[in-house]
């Protein structure tokens, strides 16, 4: 069974920083693209940042220059460093990964979500 477990959310003042982590677990994993999404109350889920297995990254315009996505392939973990946080960044953040697992095949997985709240 493949799982994505997130950590690192919380409450922070505007201008502050948080670092989110998402670790994948399972047997015989090959992890392809990974990414972070967020969903604010009353809004659709949106892509925040993505990273390929080779390390290429892309970001939503709203977070460019403030957020950095990275991954540790040895630990099957993806990170999102969030700096200069704004109240508009308040949302539930979800990890997403395209994973091929032993005896399961290739699927798209989501984490359980972690709340990020930025106070003004």
């Amino acid at each position: 069974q493949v799982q994505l477990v997130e950590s690192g959310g919380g409450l922070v003042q505007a201008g502050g920083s948080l670092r989110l982590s998402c670790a994948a677990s399972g047997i015989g994993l090959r992890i392809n693209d990974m990414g972070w999404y967020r969903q604010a109350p009353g809004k659709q889920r949106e892509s925040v940042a993505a990273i390929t297995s080779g390390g290429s990254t892309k970001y939503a315009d709203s977070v460019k220059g403030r957020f950095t996505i990275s991954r540790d392939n040895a630990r099957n973990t993806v990170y999102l460093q969030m700096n200069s946080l704004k109240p508009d960044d308040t949302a539930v953040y979800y990890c997403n990964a395209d994973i091929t697992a032993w005896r399961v095949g290739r699927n798209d997985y989501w984490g359980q979500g972690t709340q990020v709240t930025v106070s003004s």
Side-chain angles (χ1 to χ4, degrees):
Q1 184 177 1
V2 177
Q3 286 188 318
L4 297 179
V5 178
E6 302 164 6
S7 60
L11 173 64
V12 65
Q13 288 187 331
S17 298
L18 284 174
R19 188 192 196 207
L20 306 183
S21 300
C22 172
S25 63
I27 298 174
L29 301 183
R30 184 174 74 244
I31 303 176
N32 306 303
D33 294 351
M34 304 183 84
W36 290 93
Y37 289 71
R38 67 186 181 187
Q39 187 166 19
K43 295 186 177 181
Q44 289 190 331
R45 190 174 296 189
E46 63 175 355
S47 175
V48 175
I51 185 166
T52 67
S53 57
S56 296
T57 60
K58 63 179 180 180
Y59 298 91
D61 287 343
S62 59
V63 307
K64 280 181 182 176
R66 300 187 298 120
F67 290 11
T68 302
I69 189 170
S70 61
R71 62 191 286 171
D72 183 338
N73 291 330
R75 297 178 183 270
N76 291 335
T77 300
V78 63
Y79 305 95
L80 186 68
Q81 177 66 44
M82 305 184 293
N83 298 329
S84 302
L85 282 161
K86 305 175 181 179
D88 283 350
D89 295 318
T90 295
V92 178
Y93 284 70
Y94 297 91
C95 171
N96 172 263
D98 174 6
I99 299 174
T100 302
W102 182 64
R103 298 188 69 177
V104 175
R106 186 172 183 174
N107 287 286
D108 193 55
Y109 294 90
W110 291 89
Q112 79 282 6
T114 185
Q115 177 70 46
V116 171
T117 302
V118 184
S119 63
S120 57

